[in-house]
Amino acid sequence: MRQFHKSTKLDNVLYDVRGPVVDEAARMEEAGMHVLKLNIGNPAPFGFRTPDEVVYDMARQLTDTEGYSASKGLFSARKAIMQYAQLKNIPNVGIEDIYTGNGVSELINLSMSALLDDGDEVLVPSPDYPLWTACVNLAGGTAVHYTCDEQSEWYPDIDDMRAKITDRTVAIVLINPNNPTGALYPPEVLQQIVDLAREHQLMIFSDEIYDRLVMDGLKHVSIASMAPDLFCVTFSGLSKSHMIAGYRVGWMILSGNKRIAKDYIEGINMLTNMRICSNVPAQSIVQTALGGHQSVNDYIVPGGRLCEQRDYIYEALNSIDGITAVKPKAAFYIFPKIDVKKFNITDDEQFALDLLHDERILITRGGGFNWQEPDHFRIVYLPRIEVLKDAVDKLADFLRYYRQ
Ligand SMILES: Cc1ncc(COP(=O)(O)O)c(C=O)c1O
């Protein structure tokens, strides 16, 4: 049976992603201009509030959380996450298989650093949440992108995935629900990915940070629940579901066939110990946050803010001549397509810069998500409808005259 080994390049991790469009927006703001930022998935600035009980609970525990915790995290937090894993039918998870982190971000980095040696390949979606590609490559591996297909609800193209597997492929990364497309993968699609991973003995990394932000009455299924015989790592956290991106708390869950990953788990434990522990006050509210009524549910049903904003942005963007977008099912992003012929667009960064200069709207170009064509951009639809309406009106005006 194949074994997974930890990387020898653990010390050479750099992170330096900063786009010129964001820099330009910062410069404009410093010059006193107002820029509407539709570029980051940070709920709090848009008026989404952390549930009161969570803030209360943290305040109450602050004096008890002055010291380090165990490196994997507080027992209470991990117990609550373990119960969460059970509710999602993730198999073979004990308390020792749960790690808290300073957001999912830290754990993505850690999980890739612990895994990869030079030349190891990891299948990463295109478009992706770019931290995945960055972390794979910085850890010494090679991110090999598989296409998600806009014609099929942005689901992963399984044939493309299969075609990209080589004898150096060690893992498949899944972002479900997806950032930037807002797609939610149904069990049929997940099953095909499991079959592929089983056939080629690949690990599965599933980033499920938006799993509690699913609309239209749909249900999120964790791929790990379908793969008890494979080794899976599932990521989630409270940044989005509890509107506390600033508190920095997320987790990862190891599940399934852990025997084949003993050496890898040793690497994970080493790195986890090296960073001592994640933010302890933030860990202290995990149990309260995950228990009982989930206030995020009020946002994602018809009449709820996120659902209404999603419906609005979807209709409004599609009514612009030259823009089409697939309806997102989850999270708070939409990834519209631009008719590049109509607008003569060859450079999506230039498009984003021109929109910023002319309309003071900051979006993220598709290339920022490792999308290879200059024909997409991402909008974060967290702002209220009146703000989104203003942005869409400006975008429509801009596209009336814009030619690159
Ligand atoms: C898909 C995905 N994974 C992970 C993260 C990072 O989340 P955290 O705040 O837990 O670090 C984000 C944040 O936008 C995300 O979109």
Side-chain angles (χ1 to χ4, degrees):
M1 184 66 81
R2 178 181 186 176
Q3 299 287 313
F4 297 105
H5 295 282
K6 60 184 172 286
S7 167
T8 52
K9 301 228 164 20
L10 299 178
D11 296 332
N12 296 327
V13 180
L14 296 168
Y15 189 66
D16 190 357
V17 182
R18 189 125 178 97
V21 185
V22 179
D23 289 346
E24 177 62 5
R27 194 197 58 73
M28 288 166 67
E29 281 188 316
E30 272 161 31
M33 294 175 221
H34 176 75
V35 174
L36 176 59
K37 296 202 197 90
L38 302 178
N39 69 318
I40 35 173
N42 188 17
F46 298 103
F48 288 93
R49 295 266 57 93
T50 306
D52 287 347
E53 68 202 21
V54 172
V55 178
Y56 168 79
D57 195 30
M58 185 183 280
R60 197 177 59 86
Q61 297 193 72
L62 269 182
T63 50
D64 296 331
T65 52
E66 290 168 353
Y68 295 136
S69 70
S71 61
K72 290 184 187 179
L74 293 173
F75 180 82
S76 68
R78 289 157 67 219
K79 190 78 204 299
I81 296 161
M82 197 173 104
Q83 281 161 357
Y84 189 73
Q86 285 164 356
L87 284 176
K88 301 212 71 166
N89 299 315
I90 300 181
N92 197 19
V93 178
I95 196 109
E96 70 284 1
D97 301 316
I98 291 164
Y99 299 70
T100 63
N102 294 306
V104 167
S105 305
E106 183 189 35
L107 298 170
I108 292 174
N109 199 345
L110 193 151
S111 64
M112 291 298 107
S113 299
L115 179 69
L116 299 171
D117 278 314
D118 284 355
D120 284 347
E121 294 173 8
V122 178
L123 291 175
V124 177
S126 167
D128 74 341
Y129 176 61
L131 186 61
W132 278 103
T133 296
C135 289
V136 169
N137 292 338
L138 292 171
T142 304
V144 176
H145 292 110
Y146 65 85
T147 303
C148 294
D149 183 5
E150 189 167 25
Q151 305 307 315
S152 305
E153 300 276 347
W154 284 117
Y155 297 156
D157 178 337
I158 305 294
D159 290 335
D160 190 49
M161 217 181 229
R162 183 180 294 110
K164 303 250 162 93
I165 295 174
T166 72
D167 54 5
R168 295 303 310 262
T169 311
V170 285
I172 300 178
V173 171
L174 215 65
I175 303 169
N176 178 38
N178 192 267
N179 176 8
T181 65
L184 175 75
Y185 304 155
E188 310 85 82
V189 169
L190 299 178
Q191 187 60 54
Q192 293 181 65
I193 298 169
V194 169
D195 292 345
L196 210 55
R198 184 173 290 136
E199 185 183 334
H200 296 275
Q201 295 185 44
L202 305 176
M203 289 169 59
I204 296 176
F205 290 90
S206 189
D207 180 343
E208 303 182 354
I209 191 160
Y210 299 101
D211 72 337
R212 277 149 283 149
L213 289 155
V214 172
M215 291 173 274
D216 305 330
L218 297 166
K219 193 170 166 295
H220 177 266
V221 174
S222 280
I223 191 166
S225 70
M226 304 170 71
D229 56 324
L230 304 181
F231 179 68
C232 298
V233 187
T234 305
F235 300 79
S236 194
L238 301 182
S239 290
K240 319 290 177 171
S241 61
H242 291 73
M243 317 297 174
I244 47 171
Y247 286 12
R248 311 308 294 129
V249 60
W251 56 82
M252 68 180 177
I253 302 168
L254 315 185
S255 70
N257 188 350
K258 290 173 281 181
R259 274 181 302 113
I260 60 171
K262 262 175 82 174
D263 191 55
Y264 173 57
I265 294 170
E266 216 175 273
I268 292 262
N269 288 339
M270 184 189 290
L271 290 185
T272 303
N273 288 332
M274 281 162 65
R275 59 91 218 235
I276 302 183
C277 65
S278 69
N279 179 331
V280 185
Q283 290 178 48
S284 76
I285 51 92
V286 171
Q287 191 169 39
T288 293
L290 286 182
H293 173 71
Q294 297 292 293
S295 56
V296 68
N297 290 343
D298 302 337
Y299 291 129
I300 57 177
V301 290
R305 237 190 103 176
L306 273 182
C307 187
E308 298 290 296
Q309 289 167 197
R310 187 273 312 252
D311 291 349
Y312 172 77
I313 198 78
Y314 168 70
E315 296 289 342
L317 285 172
N318 278 298
S319 69
I320 299 176
D321 202 18
I323 300 274
T324 49
V326 175
K327 193 172 191 175
K329 303 283 190 306
F332 35 64
Y333 309 102
I334 190 164
F335 198 57
K337 180 170 189 175
I338 327 168
D339 182 342
V340 283
K341 283 211 181 76
K342 181 175 165 69
F343 305 110
N344 197 33
I345 292 171
T346 52
D347 179 343
D348 60 355
E349 187 166 284
Q350 192 60 49
F351 168 75
L353 262 180
D354 292 338
L355 182 66
L356 176 66
H357 284 146
D358 287 16
E359 303 295 343
R360 300 185 186 176
I361 296 173
L362 178 60
I363 48 103
T364 309
R365 68 188 183 103
F369 306 97
N370 294 296
W371 182 253
Q372 299 312 321
E373 302 297 322
D375 59 355
H376 282 77
F377 61 99
R378 186 190 73 173
I379 285 183
V380 175
Y381 60 80
L382 284 169
R384 289 194 181 276
I385 287 181
E386 45 290 11
V387 180
L388 292 175
K389 183 170 184 325
D390 186 42
V392 173
D393 289 348
K394 285 180 171 157
L395 176 66
D397 286 346
F398 174 77
L399 290 174
R400 250 171 236 128
Y401 64 82
Y402 185 69
R403 298 294 176 274
Q404 206 169 66

